[in-house]
């Protein structure tokens, strides 16, 4: 009899140990699922175990699946635009319930410290922003800082409802983005996944397989210094902080990074391109990728490293379905972490509202270089997004150069969407540049008082 009881106990313990189905932590109470979409739900369990999934928004259609021999399972389910909180029940040998689910727009916010910076760390009018953080339809999923040599399946985090207590610990830019987006879309729930790490270069956010095929990426990595505050090894942040969520349906990405790539700025345009395309590949969708151009900052007077990163970001606008937030007027040349985060977050929202949701018809860019050419004794520079083009002071930040590549200040006069330049020191100008210093604060604005991006271009 004693042997029989021991055998039964061992069997019960074994069944309990191996039978439990599991969900990744991103499927937790208070989550936001992308509305009107086909989403993937996945997890783990005992090989051969049958799982029944019941969604409150589709109670008449139970979805069934089996755990495969590798202990994995996944199903696809459609969401709608129901505005009421929903529930998900999963039945295997155990029962999992996920409650207070909202359907809305899900965005991934990533990058380095300027994206990571929260209201508790100190931002312009931070106390007011914290006090007014009352929209409970905004939900945060903050991924902890982790690095790994190999791609991970899971991470430890949970969804949190927006409140003064939770908002102040999350990315301030991402919060302001979500708050404006929610209001302007008609009180729609917004889920923000925060995956950021201050001081990190772009290379650690790119999948490892991309480095095997790209010699420029390989060279870029060799110029990254080792720092005490984070990894510099290729893919280490991607593996631990992006890979585990690549099956989760998102609307798009907002990105603020580049300061830590001033050490290899000449490679940044290629690096950034690879990051964008690789993320779209692993998420299996051509989502919008919106990014902030790094703000003016004194990286040293003996280099153009900050300018080169900004230039790479400007030129990255040729990648389809991208958009750039201009920050030249809200930076702090003496502080690499400018505290005026609200305009940046709301400019991200304006990009999404214009380009992705087609909800507002409002200028979302600062003046952008279009073309340049010589006419008589003058040099003409044309701009797009240049309605009511004007200077906010009399200082000219334009320079021209000839065959010797020595740049001289140029006098500038605005005519409609053009700037007419002249210099008595350059007879045959071949090059033109604007705001070409690391800490240069642009003074050329459009009707929305958005600043022009600096640039370096050859004259046509």
């Amino acid at each position: 009899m004693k042997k029989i009881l021991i055998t039964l106990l061992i069997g019960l313990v074994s069944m309990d140990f191996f039978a439990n189905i599991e969900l990744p932590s991103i499927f937790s109470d208070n989550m936001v699922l992308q509305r009107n979409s086909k989403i993937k739900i996945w997890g783990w369990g005992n090989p051969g175990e049958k799982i029944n999934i019941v969604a409150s928004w589709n109670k008449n259609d139970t979805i069934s699946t089996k755990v495969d021999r590798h202990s994995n399972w996944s199903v696809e389910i459609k969401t709608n635009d129901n505005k009421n909180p929903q529930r998900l029940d999963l039945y295997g040998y155990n029962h999992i319930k996920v409650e207070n689910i909202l359907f809305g727009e899900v965005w991934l916010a990533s990058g380095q410290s300027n994206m990571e910076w929260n209201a508790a760390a100190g931002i312009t009018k931070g106390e007011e922003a914290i006090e007014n953080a009352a929209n409970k339809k905004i939900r945060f999923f903050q991924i902890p800082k982790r690095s790994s040599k190999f791609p991970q399946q899971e991470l430890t985090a949970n969804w949190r409802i927006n409140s003064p207590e939770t908002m102040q610990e999350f990315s301030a830019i991402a919060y302001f983005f979500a708050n404006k987006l929610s209001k302007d879309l008609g009180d729609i729930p917004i889920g923000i996944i925060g995956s950021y790490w201050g001081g990190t270069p772009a290379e650690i956010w790119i999948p490892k397989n991309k480095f095997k095929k790209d010699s420029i990426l390989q060279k870029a990595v060799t110029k990254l210094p080792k720092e005490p505050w984070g990894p510099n090894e290729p893919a280490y942040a991607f593996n631990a902080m992006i890979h585990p969520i690549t099956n989760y349906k998102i609307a798009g990405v907002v990105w603020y990074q580049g300061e830590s790539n001033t050490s290899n700025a000449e490679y940044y345009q290629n690096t950034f391109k690879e990051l964008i395309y690789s993320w779209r590949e692993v998420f299996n969708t051509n989502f919008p990728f919106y990014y902030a151009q790094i703000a003016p900052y004194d990286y040293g007077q003996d280099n153009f490293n900050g300018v080169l990163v900004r230039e790479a970001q400007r030129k990255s606008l040729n990648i389809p379905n991208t958009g750039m937030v201009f920050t030249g007027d809200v930076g702090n040349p003496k502080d690499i972490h400018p505290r005026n985060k609200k305009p940046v977050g709301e400019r991200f929202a304006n990009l999404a509202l214009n380009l992705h949701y087609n909800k507002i018809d409002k200028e979302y860019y600062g003046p952008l270089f279009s073309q340049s050419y010589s006419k008589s004794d003058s040099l003409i520079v044309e701009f797009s997004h240049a309605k009511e083009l004007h200077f906010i002071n009399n200082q000219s930040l334009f320079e021209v150069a000839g065959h010797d590549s020595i740049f001289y200040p140029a006098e500038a006069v605005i005519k409609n969407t053009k700037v007419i330049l002249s210099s008595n020191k350059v007879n045959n100008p071949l090059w033109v540049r604007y705001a070409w210093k690391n800490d240069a604060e642009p003074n050329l604005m459009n009707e929305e008082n958005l600043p022009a991006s600096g640039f370096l271009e050859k004259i046509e």
Side-chain angles (χ1 to χ4, degrees):
M1 181 63 72
K2 188 175 181 180
K3 289 182 178 180
I4 293 173
L5 286 172
I6 291 172
T7 302
L8 286 172
L9 285 170
I10 292 173
L12 288 171
V13 170
S14 298
M15 180 176 288
D16 182 63
F17 183 80
F18 288 107
N20 287 341
I21 55 172
E22 295 181 70
L23 282 171
S25 62
I26 199 165
F27 290 100
S28 60
D29 292 348
N30 307 316
M31 70 176 174
V32 179
L33 292 175
Q34 183 64 33
R35 60 179 176 163
N36 298 321
S37 297
K38 183 182 287 186
I39 65 165
K40 185 176 182 179
I41 301 173
W42 73 96
W44 308 276
N46 199 37
E49 181 178 2
K50 183 179 179 180
I51 302 172
N52 291 319
I53 301 171
V54 180
S56 62
W57 61 93
N58 194 14
K59 290 182 178 178
N60 297 326
D61 188 12
T62 298
I63 299 174
S64 298
T65 189
K66 277 190 176 183
V67 182
D68 68 20
R69 66 189 182 93
H70 296 291
S71 293
N72 300 311
W73 60 268
S74 67
V75 297
E76 287 188 336
I77 188 169
K78 290 184 178 180
T79 60
N80 52 46
D81 57 2
N82 192 311
K83 292 180 172 56
N84 297 317
Q86 303 296 322
R87 171 172 167 157
L88 197 61
D89 287 273
L90 299 92
Y91 300 92
Y93 291 119
N94 61 316
H95 173 208
I96 298 176
K97 60 181 178 180
V98 185
E99 299 179 297
N100 198 22
I101 303 168
L102 295 180
F103 295 152
E105 296 298 304
V106 182
W107 286 78
L108 171 59
S110 190
Q112 59 177 108
S113 54
N114 274 308
M115 181 61 83
E116 180 181 355
W117 204 267
N118 58 40
I123 62 172
T124 303
K125 297 183 178 180
E127 291 183 3
E128 178 184 336
I130 293 170
E131 184 180 345
N132 293 329
N135 185 352
K136 296 187 181 302
K137 291 187 177 181
I138 297 173
R139 307 288 174 84
F140 306 125
F141 187 83
Q142 183 155 328
I143 295 174
K145 294 175 184 175
R146 297 288 186 272
S147 68
S148 175
K149 187 176 182 179
F150 303 103
Q152 300 298 297
Q153 288 188 313
E154 175 62 312
L155 46 79
T156 303
N158 61 282
W159 285 94
R160 305 176 75 189
I161 299 172
N162 173 51
S163 69
E165 292 73 31
T166 59
M167 169 270 182
Q168 64 182 309
E169 299 173 357
F170 200 77
S171 161
I173 286 175
Y175 164 75
F176 289 124
F177 164 75
N179 195 44
K180 181 172 175 58
L181 204 59
S182 177
K183 291 178 181 178
D184 288 8
L185 288 177
D187 203 27
I188 294 297
I190 305 293
I192 293 287
I193 302 170
S195 184
Y196 32 70
W197 192 331
T200 54
E203 288 83 355
I204 76 167
W205 297 95
I206 299 174
K208 186 65 178 292
N209 65 318
K210 297 302 176 185
F211 291 82
K212 297 177 181 178
K213 306 173 184 178
D214 193 320
S215 60
I216 300 177
L217 269 181
Q218 294 168 16
K219 291 178 182 177
V221 169
T222 64
K223 291 205 169 187
L224 293 175
K226 287 187 177 181
E227 304 288 3
W229 49 75
N232 69 346
E233 296 89 345
Y236 268 50
F238 171 84
N239 289 338
M241 299 176 65
I242 298 296
H243 187 268
I245 62 168
T246 52
N247 285 323
Y248 200 79
K249 183 73 172 180
I250 63 173
V253 171
V254 288
W255 172 267
Y256 195 154
Q257 189 276 340
E259 296 90 344
S260 288
N261 280 97
T262 52
S263 61
N264 60 358
E266 67 270 33
Y267 300 116
Y268 190 74
Q269 187 173 352
N270 180 74
T271 299
F272 192 38
K273 177 194 70 175
E274 290 298 326
L275 186 145
I276 294 171
Y277 280 121
S278 67
W279 281 25
R280 288 174 174 171
E281 180 180 326
V282 295
F283 278 91
N284 195 31
T285 181
N286 184 36
F287 49 60
F289 195 107
Y290 303 141
Y291 56 93
Q293 190 178 42
I294 63 172
Y297 176 69
D298 184 5
Y299 293 95
Q301 298 301 317
D302 61 340
N303 67 77
F304 293 114
N305 294 345
V307 176
L308 290 172
V309 170
R310 289 201 294 268
E311 180 73 342
Q313 291 169 327
R314 179 182 72 92
K315 290 185 174 181
S316 294
L317 285 171
N318 62 12
I319 299 174
N321 206 11
T322 59
M324 186 176 77
V325 169
F326 294 65
T327 64
D329 60 328
V330 291
N332 183 344
K334 301 302 180 184
D335 188 349
I336 201 169
H337 301 124
R339 307 305 168 92
N340 197 7
K341 300 300 187 187
K342 187 175 182 179
V344 182
E346 293 191 340
R347 288 173 189 181
F348 268 121
N350 284 335
L351 283 181
L353 289 165
N354 274 277
L355 300 176
H356 186 60
Y357 297 106
N358 298 314
K359 285 295 182 180
I360 60 174
D361 184 17
K362 181 180 179 181
E363 182 59 77
Y364 50 91
Y365 275 170
L368 270 174
F369 173 89
S370 178
Q371 63 175 331
S372 62
Y373 51 89
S374 296
K375 187 175 182 180
S376 300
D377 295 328
S378 300
L379 173 65
I380 312 297
V381 181
E382 294 188 1
F383 291 86
S384 59
H385 304 277
K387 188 176 179 181
E388 296 183 18
L389 199 63
H390 64 279
F391 290 116
I392 58 173
N393 57 46
N394 294 324
Q395 181 184 10
S396 175
L397 299 179
F398 286 91
E399 299 172 285
V400 293
H403 290 279
D404 56 7
S405 297
I406 298 175
F407 282 87
Y408 295 93
E411 294 183 8
V413 177
I414 294 173
K415 185 175 182 181
N416 299 322
T417 61
K418 304 174 183 178
V419 177
I420 303 170
L421 303 177
S422 60
S423 173
N424 56 15
K425 292 188 177 182
V426 182
N427 294 325
N428 296 301
L430 291 179
W431 296 92
V432 58
R433 68 188 189 189
Y434 170 72
W436 201 255
K437 285 179 62 179
N438 290 332
D439 58 354
E441 298 178 274
N443 64 343
L444 182 63
M445 307 287 184
N446 61 15
E447 61 177 332
E448 291 294 328
N449 281 320
L450 292 170
S453 171
F455 64 85
L456 169 65
E457 292 284 351
K458 193 171 186 178
I459 296 167
E460 296 174 1

